[in-house]
Amino acid sequence: MKCRKCGGRAVLELRRHNTAFCADDFLAFFRRQTLETIRRWKMFTREEPVLVAVSGGKDSLALWDVLVEAGYRTAGLYIDLGIFDYSRESRARCEAFAAERGARLVVVRVAAEVGAGIPQVRDVTRRPACSACGLSKRYIMNRAALEGGFSAVATGHNLDDEAATLFGSTLRWDASALARQTPVLEASHPKLVRRVKPLFRLSERETAAYAFLRGIDYIVEECPFARGATSLTHKEVLNRLEDASPGAKASFFLNYLDRARHLFQASEAVDLRECARCGQTTTGEVCAFCRLADQVRRAAGPTGPARAEPTDPPALRGLISDLRAASEIHAP
Amino acid sequence: MKVILRNQGKEVELAGRRRVRELLSELGVLPETVLVIRGRELLTVDEVVREDDVVELRPVISGGRR
């Protein structure tokens, strides 16, 4: 197979674009797609400091790599979930990635914020690990970006992630989830930071190929709690469709954004207020994250490794100066 | 050829040469779900894998949510 650009040997076929690229032309294509998405969707400017949430996986490290190369002002945020070897290895990869590029990485431990790592939280709450994990990550990302003075939080969500989420929401006709699904979630409250997904037009296979061709040492192993997750079943179904009809995933998600999302947005007016405990946004009196931390604290008993005081806002305190320093960095 | 199925912790030995497309189909793997890696290069589905090659099928699917 030949590269459509230069006629050299192709390393990746993109069936949905009916094309194939050599390594150099694919990397250029990937960068162009990402940077055009950032510009077209007004995700952030080159002057704004951006906090990139990195997991050690291919998507977030590929995104950070593109942004660092393009000269954006970024710092990485690694959220240590406390998931045994998986967390240790993914953290080590993020640290090595940052060190190689002279980029700033801030590490926040879920255990320091909630009182326990995700495995213990799962046992205490008796809910799937993914649910406490998602809640904790969203909370910590926003809080870290807000307190560090960042303009946006960027995540590595790719086309497959977005299509699978849309598929799941559609199966349930979950109108509020459908309304919230967007590549740019604007800050609708002073305590919220804009959340953006610059890779949403690129498939999972494309981000994996980018990471491989760039020599990024990412964690290939899957989170042990993800096995059997519904979202993986949805991805499998969508990949079968994609195989039979290239472009199905992109058409499903991108046409949703163009043609259908506005219909759901109209029904979604949420009244946000500040959590009485930590000051972050919530629709109730106390936010879901503080309630989760309370639950962990109660289960641990008086001797447990809980956050110091129930009335304390979650830590991050020791990290605020780190975060502020990170947001003040300039492009390398 | 030796085929390493990364994440399944499995290796498969296959006799003879064949195209990547045939290899994936034989193993029941959708091309969209893996990178096919030989040494430091990525292979497209029309490339031929030789008898003495070692290839890795690296899954690209990640993430979990319930």
Side-chain angles (χ1 to χ4, degrees):
Chain A
M1 206 173 286
K2 290 199 166 140
C3 171
R4 192 177 72 174
K5 275 267 195 190
C6 70
R9 182 181 153 259
V11 298
L12 200 72
E13 182 188 17
L14 306 181
R15 283 178 73 210
R16 75 189 156 100
H17 295 297
N18 194 24
T19 195
F21 289 122
C22 68
D24 285 348
D25 286 321
F26 170 70
L27 294 175
F29 161 84
F30 190 94
R31 292 186 185 110
R32 202 168 49 244
Q33 288 269 316
T34 309
L35 300 178
E36 268 180 28
T37 299
I38 292 168
R39 190 176 49 79
R40 270 199 208 157
W41 284 77
K42 298 185 170 59
M43 291 183 169
F44 46 84
T45 65
R46 287 181 189 276
E47 288 70 43
E48 290 178 306
V50 179
L51 190 60
V52 185
V54 288
S55 65
K58 63 191 190 312
D59 306 301
S60 53
L61 291 183
L63 171 62
W64 201 11
D65 185 73
V66 172
L67 297 180
V68 168
E69 288 286 304
Y72 279 91
R73 290 178 60 192
T74 62
L77 170 69
Y78 175 76
I79 300 174
D80 186 338
L81 304 165
I83 305 178
F84 320 119
D85 285 351
Y86 174 75
S87 287
R88 275 189 288 278
E89 284 167 25
S90 53
R91 176 178 175 165
R93 279 162 167 99
C94 292
E95 287 172 340
F97 178 98
E100 277 166 28
R101 288 156 181 81
R104 190 90 183 225
L105 178 74
V106 179
V107 177
V108 176
R109 289 171 55 241
V110 165
E113 308 306 314
V114 191
I118 293 298
Q120 295 77 33
V121 172
R122 180 192 64 157
D123 295 343
V124 167
T125 58
R126 296 182 189 177
R127 288 162 68 195
C130 301
S131 116
C133 179
L135 166 66
S136 303
K137 286 197 283 198
R138 285 190 297 276
Y139 180 92
I140 291 170
M141 281 191 286
N142 187 71
R143 184 153 187 142
L146 186 74
E147 299 192 349
F150 289 88
S151 303
V153 176
T155 58
H157 290 91
N158 58 47
L159 177 61
D160 294 62
D161 295 326
E162 294 304 300
T165 300
L166 177 61
F167 190 61
S169 303
T170 307
L171 286 177
R172 300 189 306 277
W173 288 114
D174 184 339
S176 69
L178 287 164
R180 280 196 310 272
Q181 196 180 352
T182 169
V184 182
L185 199 56
E186 287 295 348
S188 56
H189 185 280
K191 289 281 182 80
L192 288 175
V193 177
R194 191 189 318 141
R195 271 212 318 261
V196 299
K197 302 170 180 173
L199 301 183
F200 81 90
R201 300 173 65 90
L202 290 154
S203 78
E204 198 145 46
R205 189 156 175 271
E206 287 155 20
T207 63
Y210 179 88
F212 177 82
L213 293 170
R214 286 283 295 157
I216 296 172
D217 180 22
Y218 65 90
I219 186 156
V220 179
E221 287 68 34
E222 203 35 84
C223 169
F225 291 125
R227 274 177 218 131
T230 317
S231 61
L232 295 181
T233 309
H234 294 162
K235 283 187 172 180
E236 197 183 320
V237 170
L238 290 167
N239 277 327
R240 291 201 177 279
L241 283 174
E242 184 75 19
D243 190 55
S245 171
K249 284 185 288 198
S251 164
F252 180 52
F253 182 61
L254 302 181
N255 285 327
Y256 169 72
L257 293 179
D258 279 353
R259 301 174 190 171
R261 183 170 171 262
H262 68 277
L263 302 171
F264 293 94
Q265 269 179 302
S267 67
E268 179 72 2
V270 183
D271 190 19
L272 288 178
R273 57 164 111 170
E274 292 180 17
C275 168
R277 195 76 57 75
C278 72
Q280 294 292 289
T281 55
T282 176
T283 49
E285 177 73 17
V286 174
C287 77
F289 185 82
C290 284
R291 292 202 307 272
L292 179 69
D294 285 347
Q295 207 179 343
V296 172
R297 190 182 303 108
R298 277 197 303 273
T303 57
R307 277 168 19 196
E309 296 291 331
T311 49
D312 272 359
L316 284 190
R317 232 179 260 110
L319 294 167
I320 291 174
S321 58
D322 276 4
L323 285 160
R324 294 220 171 116
S327 74
E328 281 159 17
I329 58 154
H330 293 280
Chain B
M1 71 184 71
K2 187 199 279 185
V3 184
I4 302 166
L5 299 157
R6 183 79 180 257
N7 283 18
Q8 290 180 33
K10 253 184 12 191
E11 287 182 8
V12 182
E13 287 281 351
L14 295 171
R17 64 207 295 275
R18 50 185 54 67
R19 288 191 192 280
V20 169
R21 184 184 290 112
E22 292 148 13
L23 171 67
L24 294 178
S25 153
E26 231 173 295
L27 296 171
V29 175
L30 292 176
E32 183 73 10
T33 62
V34 288
L35 292 180
V36 183
I37 300 168
R38 181 173 60 197
R40 299 182 59 169
E41 54 179 11
L42 292 181
L43 302 182
T44 51
V45 290
D46 62 331
E47 293 269 1
V48 173
V49 184
R50 295 176 300 267
E51 172 96 50
D52 57 351
D53 278 343
V54 178
V55 291
E56 174 189 341
L57 303 189
R58 184 182 294 186
V60 300
I61 316 284
S62 60
R65 210 173 313 104
R66 289 174 198 252

